[in-house]
Amino acid sequence: MKYKGKLFRASKEATGDLNAKVGKIPQQLKSLFVLFLVLISLFFLLRHFFTPDTFGKYGHYRAAAIDSIMSQPLRYAGAQLCMECHDDIYALKIESYHRDVSCEGCHGPAIAHTEDPSEFVPPAPRERGYCPLCHEYNPSRPTGFPQIDLTSHNPPKPCIDCHDPHDPKPPHTPEQCSACHAEIYRTKAVSHHAPLLCTRCHEAPEAHKDQPRMHLPSKPTSRTFCGECHAMEADSPKDIPRIMMSDHGIGYVCWQCHYPHYPEVR
Amino acid sequence: MKKDKKELTRREFLKKCAVSAPAVLLLAEAESIFAKNSPELSDHKEAHYFGMGIQIDKCIGCGRCVNACKLENSVPDEPFYFRTWVERYVVQVDNEVIVESPHGGGEGFPSNISEKGIARTFFVPKLCNHCANPPCVQVCPVGATFSTQDGVVLVDEDYCIGCRYCIQACPYGARYLNPFTKTADKCTFCYHRIKKGSNPACVEVCPTKARIFGEISLRSSPLTRFFRFNKVQVLKPYLNTEPRVYYANLDGEVR
């Protein structure tokens, strides 16, 4: 009964005087409550002061950082800008082998020059050492890219004595396939096929040397082509190794097993 | 009476606390709202989504990109800091693979490579992959490295604390600690250039168009042509980082 009475009183108080209800919360909890409130406010205050202004505008980062990164000055102007004043050179280059080689790839970053041509004039790489960055023979370069052997290609003259850097047409069209297929040429040169000319196996139109991708040479298409020299009954020099065309590597073309530019047998 | 008064002050105190705490919060928030609006921020909401394509079989290893990147972005000159670099792979007939990148390829590559039989050899330009799921952003403890809405991963130089977590976390080795600013640094796709409509410096100087830059999902973008004509691959696809740098004719040996 006593218990019931107490309960009843509590509910009455709850609906009635709030203060009285608060008074019912134990003393130690009230002190803790205060402490928590203070700590939480402190947290928000500190967070407010330590979070940069624009943090969280777009995501979990300082939005202002984007602006400071974007404000970085440009150094490379881009070929379009050079055209405005050097339209003659631009027109020459855009039709040449160097059409995709950017002006500033050779002359260095030049935005300062475009703003005031008298203040800063970009240097020109006139020395022999520069062009080989792109043109010295290197087996890792893709086949068809024009490469030279630096030690034998007209030393020690600077390249620009004979080639206009803005229209680098060779003084005469390169005769040798090795000009652009140096790796294949060198590989073949130390193989059993060294004595064979490229043109024995590839019919290369003259225009291939001018516009290589527009006029591609032919490639052997059948087993009988190799058989012209290697078949048992072939009418070719006696020292050429022979195979039985009818049972040697049946079902494949020869170059699926033998690299034609370096034909190894094992 | 005395007791009453004491109770009253406590109550008073509690009331004051209860009122003042939210007030402080409100004030703080209000102030921060004002503060957020005050600096002049440009609108970054235009719908860009940038990416890069790299055609391995066009790269001639001239290193002009490495050079241009360093000049454009003031990357330290010492031979071991790069935002972009070029590696040479030599796969030998016995399947041994040699990878090298002297000076990041910025001064070209020596042509005398090993005498053993070469099965194939090629160059691979590398840079930050600007992943859609960037591990480096996840590990940054202060929110100093982040993905922008146009898909570029950037570093907030003023906010970075130089803890190097992101350098460890990057599976592509694309980050380094800038010895002068003592903050993490890496490729930004030349953010300052692309937002003004220019190409990144490396793309600008590439003599064979081995690097292609543009919007990923725009129909009229150089990248769309790149996707149409090439079978593309990304580096380390099993990590689910979803790189935004796509490679055409990538060799399986490339890591």
Side-chain angles (χ1 to χ4, degrees):
Chain A
M1 274 309 114
K2 213 178 164 191
Y3 186 67
K4 219 179 181 181
K6 222 180 183 174
L7 250 184
F8 172 72
R9 219 176 72 203
S11 67
K12 188 182 162 197
E13 272 167 11
T15 48
D17 187 2
L18 188 90
N19 276 349
K21 197 200 164 198
V22 172
K24 276 281 178 295
I25 296 174
Q27 172 64 34
Q28 58 274 43
L29 270 191
K30 284 195 270 181
S31 327
L32 268 182
F33 181 61
V34 173
L35 189 68
F36 275 137
L37 269 183
V38 171
L39 284 180
I40 290 172
S41 329
L42 203 67
F43 168 75
F44 276 100
L45 263 178
L46 286 181
R47 199 184 75 141
H48 170 68
F49 284 115
F50 283 113
T51 312
D53 281 346
T54 57
F55 202 93
K57 186 164 188 241
Y58 303 126
H60 189 69
Y61 59 91
R62 231 165 44 92
I66 296 185
D67 284 318
S68 71
I69 288 169
M70 272 176 62
S71 67
Q72 187 187 326
L74 275 66
R75 305 257 164 83
Y76 281 84
Q80 232 48 43
L81 262 180
C82 312
M83 179 179 64
E84 281 171 23
C85 303
H86 299 289
D87 50 344
D88 48 340
I89 293 178
Y90 185 89
L92 192 65
K93 189 178 81 76
I94 201 70
E95 301 273 295
S96 79
Y97 285 110
H98 274 175
R99 73 187 82 84
D100 288 338
V101 188
S102 93
C103 310
E104 288 163 297
C106 288
H107 290 293
I111 202 158
H113 171 72
T114 59
E115 279 152 9
D116 185 357
S118 54
E119 186 81 352
F120 168 74
V121 180
R126 293 184 168 85
E127 70 281 9
R128 194 177 151 88
Y130 190 75
C131 317
L133 270 176
C134 292
H135 287 295
E136 190 179 8
Y137 167 69
N138 192 321
S140 309
R141 294 201 160 125
T143 194
F145 187 81
Q147 297 161 60
I148 53 154
D149 184 347
L150 200 53
T151 47
S152 66
H153 190 81
N154 306 308
K157 284 198 201 154
C159 317
I160 55 174
D161 275 11
C162 306
H163 304 283
D164 179 347
H166 305 131
D167 182 14
K169 224 172 163 31
H172 56 83
T173 316
E175 281 309 310
Q176 306 302 321
C177 313
S178 60
C180 307
H181 299 288
E183 200 219 334
I184 293 175
Y185 170 80
R186 292 187 185 210
T187 308
K188 187 176 79 63
V190 296
S191 80
H192 287 285
H193 275 171
L196 276 67
L197 293 174
C198 308
T199 42
R200 174 65 181 80
C201 304
H202 301 287
E203 264 174 60
E206 210 37 47
H208 175 65
K209 297 172 182 167
D210 253 339
Q211 292 170 301
R213 276 171 242 270
M214 306 278 276
H215 308 273
L216 285 175
S218 70
K219 288 188 288 193
T221 50
S222 70
R223 290 164 57 89
T224 44
F225 177 83
C226 308
E228 286 169 22
C229 293
H230 289 291
M232 282 302 181
E233 66 285 357
D235 178 22
S236 59
K238 277 223 270 317
D239 52 343
I240 292 182
R242 307 299 171 116
I243 45 125
M244 288 286 295
M245 292 294 284
S246 52
D247 69 355
H248 184 87
I250 280 295
Y252 297 95
V253 285
C254 315
W255 45 92
Q256 272 169 297
C257 292
H258 304 285
Y259 183 48
H261 309 135
Y262 194 88
E264 289 161 312
V265 290
R266 73 189 68 254
Chain B
M1 267 299 112
K2 226 183 175 185
K3 204 192 168 211
D4 256 346
K5 205 184 172 194
K6 204 183 163 196
E7 254 185 27
L8 206 82
T9 41
R10 185 177 292 149
R11 209 170 278 161
E12 201 83 325
F13 177 67
L14 278 175
K15 269 189 190 165
K16 276 182 184 155
C17 279
V19 173
S20 62
V24 168
L25 287 183
L26 266 178
L27 260 169
E29 275 312 299
E31 206 193 312
S32 71
I33 284 165
F34 284 121
K36 267 175 195 159
N37 284 343
S38 54
E40 281 294 306
L41 282 181
S42 38
D43 189 21
H44 304 292
K45 300 249 178 208
E46 315 128 72
H48 286 302
Y49 204 55
F50 295 116
M52 189 181 284
I54 296 179
Q55 272 165 293
I56 300 285
D57 56 351
K58 286 201 173 176
C59 179
I60 60 169
C62 63
R64 296 304 80 209
C65 48
V66 181
N67 198 50
C69 175
K70 285 208 170 200
L71 290 171
E72 177 74 24
N73 296 300
S74 317
V75 175
D77 233 0
E78 276 98 318
F80 29 83
Y81 304 114
F82 305 103
R83 286 183 173 199
T84 185
W85 67 101
V86 180
E87 291 170 0
R88 171 161 74 184
Y89 277 72
V90 178
V91 184
Q92 298 178 336
V93 276
D94 58 7
N95 261 334
E96 202 189 314
V97 184
I98 303 166
V99 188
E100 57 183 339
S101 184
H103 302 269
E107 290 155 26
F109 290 81
S111 59
N112 53 322
I113 53 180
S114 90
E115 308 299 311
K116 278 204 246 166
I118 302 169
R120 53 189 187 276
T121 161
F122 47 87
F123 298 106
V124 184
K126 288 198 172 169
L127 68 162
C128 168
N129 280 275
H130 295 276
C131 310
N133 295 326
C136 53
V137 171
Q138 278 171 30
V139 300
C140 180
V142 296
T145 184
F146 54 93
S147 301
T148 65
Q149 281 155 339
D150 28 32
V152 181
V153 178
L154 296 176
V155 181
D156 182 348
E157 201 185 87
D158 301 328
Y159 206 44
C160 172
I161 56 174
C163 71
R164 298 171 170 85
Y165 278 178
C166 53
I167 299 175
Q168 293 278 309
C170 177
Y172 304 105
R175 290 170 168 254
Y176 66 95
L177 195 88
N178 189 313
F180 300 113
T181 60
K182 301 270 191 293
T183 57
D185 195 18
K186 66 162 201 73
C187 161
T188 63
F189 267 171
C190 281
Y191 203 66
H192 58 296
R193 298 178 61 85
I194 60 177
K195 292 292 264 189
K196 296 182 183 95
S198 304
N199 272 330
C202 57
V203 177
E204 179 68 41
V205 299
C206 179
T208 56
K209 295 230 185 315
R211 291 179 185 246
I212 290 148
F213 183 81
E215 307 265 349
I216 286 179
S217 46
L218 208 64
R219 291 289 289 179
S220 55
S221 147
L223 258 194
T224 308
R225 182 177 190 275
F226 172 77
F227 289 142
R228 190 181 306 133
F229 288 113
N230 293 292
K231 291 161 193 75
V232 297
Q233 254 273 30
V234 295
L235 294 179
K236 304 189 182 180
Y238 48 88
L239 294 177
N240 273 332
T241 50
E242 291 188 35
R244 293 284 169 263
V245 175
Y246 305 88
Y247 288 86
N249 299 309
L250 190 68
D251 193 275
E253 298 292 350
V254 177
R255 294 278 166 267

